[in-house]
Amino acid sequence: MENDAATLYCPNEACLAANPLTHKFCQRCSTPLPKRYLWAVGDGLSVGKPGDVLADRYLVISKSVVLDKKPGVLPQSPEVDNLQDIKAYLRLIPYSLNVPQVYGIIPLPEGQSHKEILLLEQPPLTADSSGLQVQLCSQLNIAWRDATSMRQLNWLWQIANLWQPLKSEGVATSLIDPHVLRVEGSLVRLLELRFDASTAPGLPELGAFWQKLQSESKPAIAEFVHQVSNFLIQGKINSAEILIAVLDQGLAELGRAQTPTIKIVTKTDTGPTRQRNEDACYPASGTVLSKPPQASALAIVCDGIGGHQGGNVASNLAIETIHQQIQQLTNVPYDHIEPSLLLADLDNAAAVANDRISQRNDSENRQARQRMGTTLVMALPIAHEIYITHVGDSRAYWINRQGCYQVTLDDDVASREVRLGYAIYREAVQQGGAGSLVQALGMSPSNSLHPTSQRFILDEDAIFLLTSDGLSDFDRVEDYWETEILPILHGEDDIVQVADKLVELANTKNGHDNVTLALLHYKVKYCEPELTLKAVIPDISPLPSANAVTQGLQPTLLEGSPDKKTKIIPESQPTAIAKLPLNLIVPLVLVIIAGSLGYWMMQMRNVSQGKSPSGLLPTKTVPPTVSTPVTERSLTNLQGKSVIKIEREFILNEVTFPQDSYWQVINTQPIPQPATGDLLVNLRLCSRTTEPLPLIETQASIQLSQLQTFEVSVLASNIENPCDSVSKQTSAPNDDISTESDPR
């Protein structure tokens, strides 16, 4: 390979010096040199011979692996018309821990079989010290024989959690393709996505794939894997939720053979340029917490929003409230914890904090950007698991001996654009306002808040870093984890000293904001148990779906065992508008309707032009399912909470809507002027059967006479939140949430 090709150009625009691949930092300006190895997608595709340089920047390392020699230059993105071909990658960005994301494309000259080469970033591979030799991580079926029983079940558990989202995107084949299904330490990593054929694989095909692993499974779980595989093939396990519950039972048994020790340290600092510290953390800054001897461990980081308006008040109020909520949860014995209920309780804890801050805003009559708020990221380790909950752009990173992985997805405009399929991430973050938040605690009532709670199985030593953007901006964690954080796992540095170094790093390399972080060191001792696991299919019907906090009806750990009736969350108190005199309500409603219609028309025009509607989040959902019997209704007898289906494509205010779109009726109102007897129907868009993931939730107003010209089916009425009875809805109607300019 030619020496001049094996160089890496500094990403610092003021430098751009050429450096040997062996260097971690620029030899001229000391800027970190990211080595971005990329996987070129395509069956039988050969990008060239090693040493070739494509598009004047991509160094060919092997048949399907290239290295970006110019990491500071924005890669070329696919044309908007071609985004449909990669939409599955974009929509699956919440699962980027396991699913690779699109980096960019390499256009090819006309006449070649491939018009362009699709590049995926962070593929499952390792590189040697020279940077010129790479090796793909092992296939799961090959690495299987050398894994512990805990890790073997952990891998199956991750596949089970990926099954439904990948199936919804038509790429479930990826999870039964041995070449694609790779493992990197304890993590399942997909090399690329394989699109399903006309007949998509089902759980029986997954069972047949797993059945081949039984012969080399560890003795403790060999019979368990055999039974689970047969249950899948026979259809006795007929949903991903049941499969996950069965695997959870096995992991809980194996977890008794695993002894964790946990150490947590927190630090917060005002930074060199800010007058006050709006961040907060738990435990208090400088505290070192160990479990044992402590009975429980919890880490929280909050980044206040609102400046002198009260960001510090919001962040401290969130810490206080959430800590009180979590104290109740940790009093429940681990053997009695149902993971889906704990996830719901963590979401509820965030919702309680949100409402407390929101009520404080209301009591002080704070409006729009005067409202104080805060981001949130917290970690709760319990036995062999760790639970992560977040709102906003404070992040959680998982560092192990194999790599550094961001496990949270920012609630910002850029991430929303990707989840909606409008742009690849590296392009989205370049747009104006890309770092503005679309949700944070305290900005609106909890019925419009959608925290993300996740859990991860831990079977090896690991570090979890929770941090505000004072450290994470400019990719500082990605650039410095190997030199600053990894030594903890090697026993070469102390966690307290590392926390101090990270604060100093944030202040010297960034310095534009407060910085707050929590480091959690999870150490594992595991011995193979002398037992034989048996698979039992549980009854999961009473359990809520993950992240179901805003769905209105759900059991939680704090309400008793899951076989008890669910608690109905009481109706909210009458709003201020309900207390106004009638002669003021009518004109006010007309003003609201006019404003909402204008806003809706503007947002829908953006959608038609391929833009993202502001203030809205993508949703992860399927067409609405109704628990009550379907009853035919008349358009002339519409009631609030009715669900209608518009069965053909239609155009409204120059915006084209696809066929089979579902809408919920908010209410109907007479149109006083002119007095035609017509009604104004206020609607909320719920879902589209043709695009179950992701989804925009928005509102519209239309005259009944116009609605009657469409092909409309009225599905049901007076049902409880039909749009929320599906999987988690994630919208953020408050468009005033934003951070200060995101330097990314």
Side-chain angles (χ1 to χ4, degrees):
M1 188 174 293
E2 298 178 8
N3 291 332
D4 58 346
T7 56
L8 199 60
Y9 291 92
C10 178
N12 182 352
E13 294 181 358
C15 178
L16 302 178
N19 294 269
L21 291 186
T22 54
H23 284 206
K24 293 182 181 296
F25 299 90
C26 177
Q27 55 192 355
R28 179 184 296 174
C29 69
S30 299
T31 297
L33 299 172
K35 294 182 178 62
R36 294 179 183 156
Y37 294 95
L38 309 168
W39 179 255
V41 174
D43 292 329
L45 175 67
S46 180
V47 296
K49 63 180 185 297
D52 289 349
V53 177
L54 306 178
D56 195 34
R57 67 181 293 181
Y58 297 106
L59 174 65
V60 178
I61 303 296
S62 65
K63 175 184 176 182
S64 297
V65 178
V66 300
L67 174 71
D68 190 354
K69 291 160 48 72
K70 299 178 179 179
V73 179
L74 184 68
Q76 183 171 339
S77 299
E79 298 293 334
V80 174
D81 295 340
N82 296 332
L83 287 179
Q84 190 66 35
D85 298 335
I86 62 170
K87 193 161 285 188
Y89 287 100
L90 306 182
R91 289 177 169 176
L92 290 170
I93 191 174
Y95 304 92
S96 57
L97 187 64
N98 310 100
V99 179
Q101 283 296 294
V102 176
Y103 184 79
I105 62 166
I106 304 176
L108 295 177
E110 293 184 4
Q112 298 198 23
S113 58
H114 294 80
K115 295 181 180 179
E116 59 188 30
I117 299 173
L118 181 65
L119 300 176
L120 303 180
E121 59 180 314
Q122 296 184 335
L125 56 77
T126 58
D128 68 359
S129 58
S130 72
L132 298 176
Q133 300 295 323
V134 299
Q135 182 176 359
L136 290 177
C137 294
S138 296
Q139 296 179 192
L140 180 143
N141 58 335
I142 295 175
W144 183 265
R145 67 176 70 94
D146 298 322
T148 65
S149 56
M150 190 75 179
R151 179 159 294 182
Q152 288 176 343
L153 279 199
N154 184 4
W155 286 340
L156 298 186
W157 181 86
Q158 291 176 63
I159 293 172
N161 278 273
L162 289 169
W163 182 260
Q164 190 55 50
L166 266 65
K167 188 173 180 62
S168 297
E169 292 300 329
V171 290
T173 299
S174 312
L175 297 174
I176 57 175
D177 186 326
H179 177 70
V180 169
L181 197 58
R182 304 278 169 162
V183 290
E184 188 171 11
S186 63
L187 289 176
V188 170
R189 304 283 313 284
L190 298 182
L191 190 59
E192 60 185 74
L193 293 178
R194 294 278 199 233
F195 289 86
D196 299 339
S198 56
T199 302
L203 289 174
E205 284 76 17
L206 181 64
F209 179 69
W210 286 8
Q211 197 173 52
K212 300 173 184 177
L213 303 172
Q214 187 266 333
S215 62
E216 292 185 313
S217 298
K218 286 294 186 286
I221 66 166
E223 179 62 20
F224 181 89
V225 173
H226 175 70
Q227 291 175 325
V228 171
S229 301
N230 284 341
F231 287 159
L232 288 167
I233 293 170
Q234 297 164 8
K236 294 180 179 179
I237 296 179
N238 56 15
S239 73
E241 291 78 13
I242 296 176
L243 177 58
I244 292 168
V246 172
L247 295 171
D248 276 334
Q249 291 178 343
L251 287 165
E253 289 292 327
L254 293 179
R256 295 187 175 93
Q258 182 166 295
T259 304
T261 57
I262 300 162
K263 180 179 285 188
I264 295 174
V265 62
T266 58
K267 294 288 290 187
T268 185
D269 191 84
T270 303
T273 61
R274 293 299 178 94
Q275 298 301 312
R276 66 181 60 82
N277 192 347
E278 298 178 23
D279 293 359
C281 59
Y282 178 86
S285 181
T287 301
V288 179
L289 183 153
S290 298
K291 175 188 176 182
Q294 295 293 326
S296 62
L298 172 68
I300 312 174
V301 166
C302 289
D303 182 354
I305 300 168
H308 66 280
Q309 299 293 342
N312 61 322
V313 175
S315 60
N316 281 283
L317 198 55
I319 294 287
E320 175 188 339
T321 306
I322 291 173
H323 178 233
Q324 292 171 351
Q325 297 289 310
I326 302 301
Q327 274 187 315
Q328 300 177 59
L329 298 179
T330 53
N331 289 333
V332 179
Y334 171 72
D335 291 345
H336 293 77
I337 288 180
E338 164 56 48
S340 60
L341 299 185
L342 180 53
L343 287 169
D345 274 323
L346 292 172
D347 280 355
N348 275 329
V352 171
N354 174 83
D355 283 346
R356 191 172 174 189
I357 301 168
S358 184
Q359 290 163 6
R360 176 79 171 261
N361 279 323
D362 293 343
S363 68
E364 298 178 5
N365 198 29
R366 295 174 181 264
Q367 302 296 327
R369 296 185 183 275
Q370 292 181 347
R371 293 179 74 86
M372 59 185 176
T374 183
T375 68
L376 163 72
V377 61
M378 63 176 168
L380 177 64
I382 297 181
H384 59 281
E385 300 177 319
I386 188 165
Y387 291 75
I388 304 290
T389 298
H390 100 282
V391 176
D393 63 353
S394 292
R395 294 179 177 178
Y397 292 87
W398 182 355
I399 295 99
N400 57 30
R401 289 179 173 84
Q402 289 75 41
C404 173
Y405 311 92
Q406 181 181 331
V407 299
T408 55
L409 181 64
D410 294 348
D411 289 324
D412 62 9
V413 172
S415 298
R416 180 191 64 186
E417 295 287 294
V418 180
R419 294 176 68 176
L420 286 169
Y422 292 155
I424 66 174
Y425 186 77
R426 292 194 178 276
E427 179 185 36
V429 295
Q430 301 298 318
Q431 306 305 314
S436 296
L437 297 184
V438 294
Q439 70 167 354
L441 296 185
M443 294 302 186
S444 57
S446 61
N447 58 9
S448 61
L449 177 78
H450 303 282
T452 302
S453 290
Q454 310 169 79
R455 64 187 178 112
F456 306 95
I457 307 299
L458 301 179
D459 61 28
E460 64 178 344
D461 294 356
I463 303 290
F464 280 83
L465 167 66
L466 313 183
T467 179
S468 64
D469 57 2
L471 172 62
S472 61
D473 278 344
F474 299 107
D475 296 331
R476 299 306 182 196
V477 177
E478 290 83 353
D479 289 340
Y480 288 95
W481 72 271
E482 197 168 4
T483 57
E484 305 301 328
I485 303 176
L486 188 60
I488 298 174
L489 293 178
H490 294 154
E492 299 168 355
D493 210 340
D494 177 73
I495 189 172
V496 176
Q497 294 175 341
V498 170
D500 291 336
K501 291 179 182 178
L502 291 176
V503 170
E504 182 181 359
L505 176 69
N507 287 337
T508 55
K509 299 297 183 180
N510 288 347
H512 61 283
D513 201 354
N514 311 141
V515 57
T516 301
L517 60 88
L519 280 172
L520 186 152
H521 186 192
Y522 186 98
K523 299 179 68 175
V524 172
K525 288 184 179 180
Y526 179 76
C527 296
E528 280 293 333
E530 296 181 1
L531 54 80
T532 301
L533 288 184
K534 300 290 185 181
V536 178
I537 301 178
D539 177 14
I540 66 168
S541 56
L543 301 181
S545 60
N547 299 325
V549 66
T550 58
Q551 292 188 13
L553 296 176
Q554 61 186 359
T556 69
L557 291 172
L558 301 182
E559 294 165 18
S561 60
D563 59 343
K564 293 184 179 179
K565 291 184 179 180
T566 59
K567 176 177 137 185
I568 300 177
I569 297 179
E571 294 284 342
S572 58
Q573 295 297 319
T575 60
I577 190 172
K579 301 177 182 179
L580 290 175
L582 183 60
N583 62 339
L584 293 180
I585 291 178
V586 173
L588 179 59
V589 168
L590 292 176
V591 171
I592 292 173
I593 291 172
S596 299
L597 182 58
Y599 177 78
W600 172 80
M601 290 172 60
M602 179 183 67
Q603 300 303 332
M604 289 301 95
R605 186 172 294 110
N606 283 343
V607 173
S608 67
Q609 295 172 356
K611 301 176 182 178
S612 173
S614 61
L616 302 177
L617 275 178
T619 60
K620 176 182 169 184
T621 185
V622 295
T625 57
V626 180
S627 57
T628 56
V630 175
T631 304
E632 284 295 320
R633 301 281 176 172
S634 168
L635 276 178
T636 59
N637 192 29
L638 284 179
Q639 303 177 35
K641 298 185 179 177
S642 295
V643 180
I644 67 173
K645 177 184 178 184
I646 302 181
E647 299 178 352
R648 66 171 176 82
E649 183 181 273
F650 67 101
I651 299 175
L652 180 63
N653 297 321
E654 301 180 353
V655 177
T656 301
F657 290 89
Q659 64 181 13
D660 296 333
S661 56
Y662 288 81
W663 301 74
Q664 179 189 7
V665 178
I666 301 173
N667 56 36
T668 60
Q669 296 170 323
I671 301 177
Q673 294 180 349
T676 61
D678 203 355
L679 293 175
L680 186 69
V681 183
N682 298 310
L683 300 170
R684 177 160 69 117
L685 178 62
C686 297
S687 70
R688 296 177 295 207
T689 56
T690 55
E691 294 188 55
L693 270 172
L695 187 63
I696 306 170
E697 180 185 36
T698 188
Q699 296 185 0
S701 298
I702 182 173
Q703 292 184 15
L704 178 61
S705 57
Q706 186 177 3
L707 185 62
Q708 289 171 329
T709 65
F710 301 151
E711 296 177 16
V712 178
S713 298
V714 183
L715 301 185
S717 64
N718 293 331
I719 58 177
E720 183 67 24
N721 288 334
C723 298
D724 289 336
S725 65
V726 294
S727 184
K728 179 185 174 187
Q729 301 290 324
T730 51
S731 67
N734 189 330
D735 195 32
D736 291 323
I737 303 174
S738 65
T739 57
E740 295 163 66
S741 178
D742 189 330
R744 291 175 297 175

